[in-house]
């Protein structure tokens, strides 16, 4: 069954798949229980502790809900971003998903706030803006100490398939 699911030829696929299951079990990422010819797989936590996997946003008797978690919407895959988007675009999308609408993301704050260079932030913003996944509005903000007396502030809001519920278009 696994060979068909993975699109592998039947020749030797069973051995290769069995070897991978064994490796995953040795890493304490899965637990296998054999009942006759049937194998039951139990997914374990990704930290290798051997404890059962729990959704990071859900508390159980064993594990408290983890704090720094937010879901990646299905539209990420529906838009094919795993295929076409470069790393800066993906990074800026994750930042945008973690912020409320009308957020500020100054290029010169990328290294301090997110550990990303100005160029990475710029490339990521451009990738989302050109695909219509982000809207930008800019306006003059008073800055009396600058030569022009103002600066331009850019604010961003997710758009297209990433637009949040209840947002006006």
């Amino acid at each position: 069954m696994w060979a068909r699911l993975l699109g592998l030829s039947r020749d030797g696929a069973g051995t290769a798949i069995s070897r991978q299951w064994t490796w995953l079990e040795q890493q304490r990422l899965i637990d296998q229980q054999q009942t006759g010819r049937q194998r039951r797989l139990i997914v374990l936590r990704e930290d290798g502790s051997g404890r059962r996997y729990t959704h990071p946003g859900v508390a159980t008797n064993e594990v408290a809900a983890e704090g720094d978690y937010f879901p990646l919407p299905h539209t990420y895959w529906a838009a094919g971003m795993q295929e076409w988007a470069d790393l800066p675009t993906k990074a800026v999308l994750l930042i945008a998903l973690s912020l409320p609408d009308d957020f500020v993301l100054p290029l010169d704050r990328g290294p301090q706030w997110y550990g990303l260079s100005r160029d990475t932030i710029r490339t990521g913003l451009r990738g989302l803006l050109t695909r219509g996944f982000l809207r930008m509005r800019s306006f003059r903000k008073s800055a009396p100490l600058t030569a022009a007396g103002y600066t331009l502030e850019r604010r961003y809001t997710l758009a297209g398939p990433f637009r949040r519920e209840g947002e006006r278009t």
Side-chain angles (χ1 to χ4, degrees):
M1 178 190 75
W2 284 104
R4 284 193 317 266
L5 180 70
L6 297 171
L8 302 174
S9 69
R10 295 181 68 133
D11 301 334
T15 303
I17 291 169
S18 180
R19 220 175 331 181
Q20 294 305 311
W21 288 126
T22 301
W23 183 88
L24 288 168
E25 188 172 32
Q26 289 170 347
Q27 303 306 308
R28 298 175 54 161
L29 299 173
I30 64 166
D31 189 23
Q32 300 184 64
Q33 295 177 347
Q34 198 80 24
T35 308
R37 292 188 62 210
Q38 297 291 323
R39 181 185 317 209
R40 182 170 181 243
L41 299 171
I42 300 166
V43 179
L44 304 177
R45 289 184 56 87
E46 66 277 8
D47 61 6
S49 66
R51 294 184 312 211
R52 287 183 88 115
Y53 173 81
T54 56
H55 188 282
V58 177
T60 66
N61 291 340
E62 297 175 22
V63 180
E66 297 176 26
D68 296 334
Y69 165 79
F70 65 92
L72 186 58
H74 177 72
T75 53
Y76 175 85
W77 288 276
M81 288 187 75
Q82 75 280 7
E83 300 292 330
W84 64 261
D86 56 17
L87 193 55
T89 302
K90 291 175 183 177
V92 172
L93 175 65
L94 291 176
I95 292 168
L97 287 167
S98 73
L99 298 172
D101 289 339
D102 205 36
F103 64 90
V104 177
L105 185 54
L107 298 179
D108 58 342
R109 298 294 182 151
Q112 294 168 296
W113 291 358
Y114 300 105
L116 300 174
S117 71
R118 292 175 56 95
D119 288 341
T120 298
I121 298 287
R122 180 184 294 114
T123 302
L125 288 170
R126 187 179 310 122
L128 294 173
L129 288 164
T130 58
R131 292 278 182 152
F133 295 151
L134 197 63
R135 284 197 331 259
M136 178 188 73
R137 68 181 182 93
S138 59
F139 58 93
R140 289 183 181 189
K141 187 175 176 181
S142 178
L145 299 178
T146 64
Y150 67 90
T151 60
L152 284 180
E153 182 172 285
R154 292 178 177 88
R155 294 191 162 264
Y156 303 94
T157 299
L158 286 167
F162 294 103
R163 185 173 60 86
R164 292 184 174 96
E165 292 292 320
E167 182 195 328
R168 287 178 278 148
T169 55

